[in-house]
Each structure stands twice: as C-alpha cells, then as structure tokens.
Amino acid sequence: MGSPSGPPFDPDDPDRERRERDTEPIPRIGPDDGPGYGAGPGLSDGPSLSDDVGYGDGPGYAGQGRSGRGWIRDPEASYQPPQISEDELAGLRADATGSTPRRVLPLEDEPSSLVARYLFPTERYRGEWKRHWIHLTNPLLIGVAATFVLGYLSGFLAGQDVGALTTIAVLLWFAVMGWVAWKVADWWYDRFILTNKRVMVVNGIVTRKVAMMPLVRVTDMKYEQTPTGRALNYGTFVLESAGQEQALREIKNLPNPNELYLRVVEEMYEPQAVEARLGKEADEAKADDGA
C-alpha cells in the first residue's frame, strides 16, 4: 500500500485550512436538496407557472404554454355562439293550420325596386313598411271638403250667370285634387326600412330624402300609441342615439307597432335567432316545393 502524496500533516500549518477548502469537491445539486433550488413552490410546476387559464393554453389565450414566447389574447377563442332551441323557434312560427299567432311579422324575401338601390351587397334585408293609411287623413278630408264646398259654389255661381267665377271655382277644385294626389303619391313612396345593420326612412318624389341610423348606435327606442292608434293599430317610433338629435329620430304613423318593435329589438339583440328562423323557413319552403 502506497503512502498518500503531498506534504505530511502538520497541525500548526497556517495554510492547511485554505488547501483543504480549495481541494474540496463541489457537490451536485439534486431535486431534493432543499427548498431553495429544488422542486418546491419557488420554482415548481405548481399554480404559479402552470398551464391553467391564467397563463396556459386555456380558452382565453393562444400559445404553447410555458414553451411559448408570449401570450396573445384570442378574441374569438372565448366566444360561444348562442344555442337557439327548437322550442324558441317554434314560438316565432305559425303552425300548418295558421291557428298559432306569430309574435313577429313574416319576413319579406326581396326588397322592392324603390328600396333595393339603397342597400349594399353584404346587407341583409329584413323588411319595408309604408306608413299607416291614417297618415292620409288630413289630405283626404281636405279633398272631400273641397269637393262639397267648391261643387256647391260652382252650382250657385252657374245660376247667377257669372261664368268667370264658376271657372275659377272649378280650377281651384282641380288644384286641391292635384295636391291630394301628390300627398297620396308621397305616402306611397315613403318607406321605413329595416336591415341587419341599420334602420332607414326613404321619402320624396322629386326631392328624395334618405335618412338612416346604425343599429349599433341606437341607445334607446320606444313607440307611442294614442287611443286611436291602439284602435287602428298604428304608432309613433322614437329612436335615441347617444342623446343627440338625429335625422331619424321620430317616425310617425307606422303600422303594427308592437310587431315592428319586436322585429327591431330582435335584430339588435338576437340576430342569431333571426338567421336561424330564416334558415328554417328556407328549408321548409324547399321541402314544400319538393313535395
């Protein structure tokens, strides 16, 4: 057996402790060597660095967990489309016999030529409505009154042998009837229009006026009915947008105000239900055509 190399042991050597410290091997740190460097809560795979919803691959973030370089919020990852049940759709449709009343008016398929020119290609048409016939009450009453008054006046003047005044009375009657016809034509071309993006009012014969309001900017909507309006089924719609005066704020004498109110509110808050109903009605129409 050989003797160990190096100088002999000397307890009084002042450099002995330094040499022993320098020549001592460095220990390897393992996973179980204390909480400071081990797998404890400080640097563990616990909740602080785990792949949970806060930092991991949950529905709110796009990435590869802790191996990724950053966290990117995915706006579509957490969106879940609403589920429209068959019972909800059944409440909006009439049955085969037509005995179950609908809560909304039937959806029109195509806009009229008057309205189609004001819609852009990606816009979904929902319907158009003329104002209630009560809108023509004043012009029609004036026309009837003018007919009786001027007719009586013309007959009276004809008996007095004053032909010039009789001619003036007849011409005045034609002018009043022309004004009444103009009001009726203006009523015919006056339309309230609803799409999936906006509400519009188009009116005018010679001077055309087009007013619109995006549905996303409608902050408040109401309709009002007088006792006569409730009896004849018409009302006035009032639209508010951020408390500002708008070109399309008050729309008078619209027919079926309750059903129209449901249509607009549904388009604002449940557009998926409208699309689902449209798809269902289209499938039923195809099935009926095939049968």
Side-chain angles (χ1 to χ4, degrees), residues 48 54 60-61 72 81 180 183 192 199 201 259 279 281:
S48 60
Y61 296 87
I72 302 175
V180 172
K183 287 295 184 180
F192 175 79
V199 291
V201 170
E259 289 80 3
E281 292 177 355

Side-chain angles (χ1 to χ4, degrees), residues 4-287:
S5 61
F9 176 76
D10 185 1
D12 297 329
D13 187 359
D15 297 330
R16 180 177 58 83
E17 293 182 1
R18 181 182 57 79
R19 287 197 304 272
E20 290 178 355
R21 184 172 64 251
D22 295 341
T23 57
E24 183 178 359
I26 299 175
R28 297 183 61 185
I29 299 174
D32 299 328
D33 291 338
Y37 299 95
L43 296 175
S44 65
D45 293 335
S48 60
L49 293 177
S50 64
D51 294 340
D52 60 1
V53 68
Y55 295 95
D57 297 335
Y61 296 87
Q64 296 84 21
R66 76 170 57 85
S67 61
R69 295 181 177 272
W71 305 105
I72 302 175
R73 181 72 180 180
D74 188 359
E76 299 181 357
S78 60
Y79 172 75
Q80 296 295 332
Q83 301 295 326
I84 308 299
S85 66
E86 184 63 28
D87 294 338
E88 292 174 330
L89 292 178
L92 300 175
R93 296 193 299 268
D95 58 12
T97 62
S99 59
T100 302
R102 296 174 59 101
R103 291 189 295 164
V104 294
L105 297 172
L107 290 171
E108 292 80 5
D109 295 331
E110 297 292 336
S112 64
S113 58
L114 172 67
V115 174
R117 68 186 70 178
Y118 302 109
L119 304 180
F120 50 91
T122 59
E123 198 169 15
R124 302 288 184 89
Y125 170 80
R126 297 303 189 218
E128 61 184 90
W129 297 266
K130 294 190 295 291
R131 297 181 192 260
H132 195 270
W133 59 263
I134 201 71
H135 191 69
L136 296 174
T137 300
N138 291 338
L140 292 178
L141 289 178
I142 292 174
V144 172
T147 299
F148 279 100
V149 172
L150 294 177
Y152 174 80
L153 182 61
S154 299
F156 175 78
L157 294 175
Q160 298 297 323
D161 195 16
V162 283
L165 293 179
T166 303
T167 302
I168 292 175
V170 172
L171 292 178
L172 185 58
W173 179 83
F174 275 110
V176 173
M177 290 298 103
W179 177 80
V180 172
W182 179 271
K183 287 295 184 180
V184 172
D186 185 67
W187 167 80
W188 178 262
Y189 287 103
D190 191 352
R191 305 292 173 90
F192 175 79
I193 307 158
L194 174 65
T195 71
N196 66 327
K197 297 182 181 296
R198 54 182 172 161
V199 291
M200 304 171 59
V201 170
V202 177
N203 55 23
I205 301 176
V206 178
T207 301
R208 183 61 53 86
K209 299 178 182 179
V210 180
M212 58 84 66
M213 180 183 294
L215 290 177
V216 295
R217 293 191 60 187
V218 177
T219 58
D220 187 22
M221 181 181 67
K222 65 179 180 179
Y223 73 90
E224 302 171 351
Q225 282 185 291
T226 62
T228 306
R230 296 186 63 185
L232 299 178
N233 197 21
Y234 70 91
T236 298
F237 271 72
V238 179
L239 303 176
E240 297 287 349
S241 176
Q244 300 176 358
E245 289 290 335
Q246 302 291 332
L248 185 61
R249 184 181 183 276
E250 188 176 84
I251 312 165
K252 296 181 178 180
N253 302 328
L254 286 177
N256 303 313
N258 187 66
E259 289 80 3
L260 185 55
Y261 175 83
L262 290 176
R263 176 72 65 84
V264 177
V265 171
E266 185 184 33
E267 195 63 52
M268 291 171 59
Y269 297 106
E270 291 293 341
Q272 294 86 0
V274 180
E275 295 293 342
R277 187 169 68 255
L278 281 173
K280 188 70 174 180
E281 292 177 355
D283 294 339
E284 292 177 353
K286 290 180 181 180

